[in-house]
């Protein structure tokens, strides 16, 4: 596949915001290149993108444009967050649309739709930002061909896009291991959790309940550095000898995955997260880790549909399952093989192939 495409992101890669979707901008750009796309890269602040856009499409008819929005609305993504170049964004989409170039937009996050956003900034800044979020959606409604969302369930929060084709595009797996050799559990199950721990969004009380109730499990809990002091989660655990709370990244994080038997995603319901698809689930899959989760949400549906772990209804069921695994009554090696098989079908390259196939028709 060799396509002439535009890759658009309104922030420099190193500033690319991460959210519940966890999709990092450079991964998709690199994935397009790996599948043979000739990429015209429009990444950076508005002045940089303006000059690159004019030069990039001079005499060139790109097959499509793939755009990833920021957690900040279009027009406010420069360092100063002032809407000095908003009409450039509008004209860019309009110009490509009028030339018949299909435009696909990955809309990564909709945190501004929830009460939690109201606590993040002042009333005036919030009012201005929400106005620009709505203006951004209007740009997409008028000029986008396809809207990609981390989960299709997000669609209900974006009624402005009802007239458009909307497709689910979850995160991808990276650096998938060749195979996983289950360690000898010997009655002690090792679990790992990677993600936020500060309520109300991340209420990991069910995780604490599992550890408190099941003596056969120990947990490596990896979170953001600031969360170690801001969260009251530690007080909910009554088993300090079986809990390790750390902040690590890079190779140290890889070690946490490789030392674990399962990945746990047990939390109380949160409307915002209940429509998200965390990238950490796919990181765990890339290491062949079965996922233990709960509730009715996109993560549970993905785990259940792909048979990559277990969905429990509550603490009693989670404890019973964990004890069965610890006693060796469940073949983790067999489950892990299926996890890796599913991971290979959900790489960033496969994600890019899907987008290219849809937009290049």
């Amino acid at each position: 596949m060799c396509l002439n495409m535009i890759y658009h992101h309104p922030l420099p890669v190193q500033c690319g915001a991460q959210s519940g979707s966890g999709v990092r901008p450079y991964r998709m750009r690199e994935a397009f290149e790996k599948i043979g796309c000739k990429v015209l890269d429009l990444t950076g602040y508005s002045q940089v993108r303006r000059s690159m856009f004019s030069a990039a499409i001079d005499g060139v008819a790109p097959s499509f444009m793939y755009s990833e929005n920021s957690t900040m609305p279009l027009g406010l993504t420069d360092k100063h967050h002032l809407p000095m170049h908003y009409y450039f964004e509008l004209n860019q989409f309009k110009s490509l649309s009028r030339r018949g170039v299909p435009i696909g937009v990955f809309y990564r996050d909709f945190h501004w739709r929830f009460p939690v956003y109201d606590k993040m900034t002042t009333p005036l800044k919030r009012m201005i930002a929400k106005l620009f979020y709505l203006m951004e959606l209007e740009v997409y409604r008028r000029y986008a061909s396809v809207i990609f969302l981390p989960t299709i369930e997000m669609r209900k929060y974006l009624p402005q896009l009802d007239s458009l084709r909307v497709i689910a595009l979850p995160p991808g797996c990276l650096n998938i291991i060749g195979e996983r050799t289950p360690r000898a559990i010997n009655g002690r199950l090792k679990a790992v959790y990677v993600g936020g721990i500060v309520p109300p969004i991340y209420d990991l009380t069910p995780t604490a309940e599992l550890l408190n109730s099941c003596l056969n499990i120990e947990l490596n809990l990896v979170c953001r550095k600031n969360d170690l002091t801001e969260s009251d989660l530690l007080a909910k655990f009554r088993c300090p000898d079986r809990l390790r709370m750390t902040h690590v990244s890079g190779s140290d994080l890889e070690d946490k995955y490789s030392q674990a038997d399962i990945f746990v995603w047990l939390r109380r319901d949160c409307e915002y997260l209940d429509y998200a698809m965390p990238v950490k689930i796919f990181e765990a899959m890339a290491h062949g880790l079965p996922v233990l989760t709960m509730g009715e949400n996109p993560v549970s549906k993905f785990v259940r549909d792909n048979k990559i772990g277990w969905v429990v209804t509550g603490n009693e069921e989670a404890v019973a399952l964990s004890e069965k695994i610890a006693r060796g009554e469940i073949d983790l090696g067999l489950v892990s093989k299926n996890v890796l098989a599913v991971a290979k079908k959900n790489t960033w390259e496969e994600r890019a192939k899907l987008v290219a196939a849809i937009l290049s028709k």
Side-chain angles (χ1 to χ4, degrees):
M1 182 181 299
C2 186
L3 300 168
N4 184 18
M5 62 160 289
I6 294 176
Y7 174 85
H8 169 269
H9 193 278
L11 286 175
V13 165
Q14 66 270 23
C15 299
Q18 299 175 23
S19 67
S21 68
V23 179
R24 295 156 174 84
Y26 66 89
R27 288 186 177 172
M28 272 303 273
R29 186 192 64 197
E30 291 179 349
F32 280 121
E33 292 171 343
K34 286 181 179 179
I35 66 171
C37 292
K38 181 181 178 182
V39 179
L40 305 177
D41 189 4
L42 295 183
T43 301
Y45 293 122
S46 59
Q47 286 184 317
V48 175
R49 285 185 289 110
R50 171 180 283 179
S51 60
M52 288 193 301
F53 180 71
S54 299
I57 67 169
D58 184 22
V60 176
S63 298
F64 64 87
M65 179 171 85
Y66 170 80
S67 174
E68 292 191 350
N69 81 325
S70 167
T71 51
M72 289 293 292
L74 284 176
L76 301 182
T77 54
D78 285 329
K79 284 184 178 180
H80 47 61
H81 299 310
L82 298 176
M84 298 176 64
H85 303 282
Y86 171 73
Y87 286 101
F88 158 67
E89 306 286 0
L90 173 62
N91 291 332
Q92 176 179 307
F93 278 77
K94 182 190 296 185
S95 172
L96 290 171
S97 179
R98 286 180 173 175
R99 294 176 62 176
V101 177
I103 299 173
V105 176
F106 177 73
Y107 197 86
R108 68 174 64 244
D109 199 5
F110 56 117
H111 64 297
W112 58 279
R113 289 287 200 191
F114 292 87
V116 66
Y117 179 71
D118 296 340
K119 302 176 183 179
M120 296 172 60
T121 185
T122 64
L124 178 60
K125 289 182 178 179
R126 185 166 65 243
M127 180 183 68
I128 294 172
K130 286 188 176 182
L131 173 63
F132 275 86
Y133 279 122
L134 292 172
M135 292 167 64
E136 177 184 18
L137 289 177
E138 179 62 14
V139 171
Y140 298 153
R141 186 191 69 80
R142 294 174 66 180
Y143 302 115
S145 308
V146 180
I147 298 294
F148 299 102
L149 300 175
T151 68
I152 203 66
E153 289 83 357
M154 284 177 59
R155 184 173 188 170
K156 66 177 285 188
Y157 292 95
L158 303 169
Q160 294 87 347
L161 306 179
D162 278 348
S163 62
L164 298 176
R165 186 182 181 191
V166 178
I167 296 174
L169 189 67
C173 295
L174 185 70
N175 298 330
I176 301 172
I177 64 173
E179 61 179 331
R180 183 179 183 88
T181 304
R183 68 177 190 88
I185 294 179
N186 296 326
R188 179 61 65 92
L189 179 65
K190 290 188 176 182
V192 64
Y193 169 85
V194 183
I197 62 172
V198 178
I201 294 180
Y202 295 96
D203 187 342
L204 300 190
T205 300
T207 302
E209 291 174 347
L210 171 60
L211 236 68
N212 292 337
S213 305
C214 182
L215 301 178
N216 297 329
I217 187 171
E218 58 185 58
L219 174 67
N220 257 317
L221 194 152
V222 183
C223 62
R224 291 180 285 262
K225 191 172 184 179
N226 291 342
D227 290 0
L228 291 171
T229 55
E230 293 178 6
S231 175
D232 62 355
L233 178 64
L234 185 60
K236 297 182 179 181
F237 287 94
R238 300 191 301 272
C239 46
D241 59 317
R242 291 183 286 112
L243 173 68
R244 300 290 182 273
M245 293 181 66
T246 58
H247 165 72
V248 296
S249 59
S251 60
D252 290 333
L253 178 56
E254 298 294 309
D255 288 342
K256 299 298 183 185
Y257 283 123
S258 63
Q259 294 166 10
D261 301 309
I262 64 171
F263 182 88
V264 295
W265 183 257
L266 301 173
R267 58 172 180 77
R268 283 182 174 166
D269 291 342
C270 167
E271 187 179 14
Y272 171 53
L273 270 191
D274 284 348
Y275 293 93
M277 183 61 77
V279 72
K280 299 305 179 185
I281 299 296
F282 291 79
E283 288 183 0
M285 286 170 53
H287 288 80
L289 285 179
V291 179
L292 171 60
T293 188
M294 65 188 299
E296 293 300 325
N297 50 66
V299 172
S300 296
K301 185 177 186 300
F302 188 85
V303 170
R304 187 184 294 114
D305 289 351
N306 290 280
K307 297 180 174 59
I308 59 168
W310 312 272
V311 181
V312 296
T313 57
N315 185 57
E316 184 176 339
E317 192 173 337
V319 170
L321 177 69
S322 300
E323 289 179 344
K324 285 182 68 175
I325 299 174
R327 292 194 299 266
E329 296 175 16
I330 293 178
D331 189 344
L332 279 185
L334 191 61
V335 182
S336 180
K337 282 184 179 180
N338 189 60
V339 172
L340 289 173
V342 173
K344 291 173 183 176
K345 297 177 182 178
N346 289 272
T347 63
W348 291 96
E349 288 81 2
E350 291 300 317
R351 193 177 190 264
K353 287 179 183 177
L354 175 64
V355 171
I358 291 170
L359 294 179
S360 61
K361 288 184 180 179

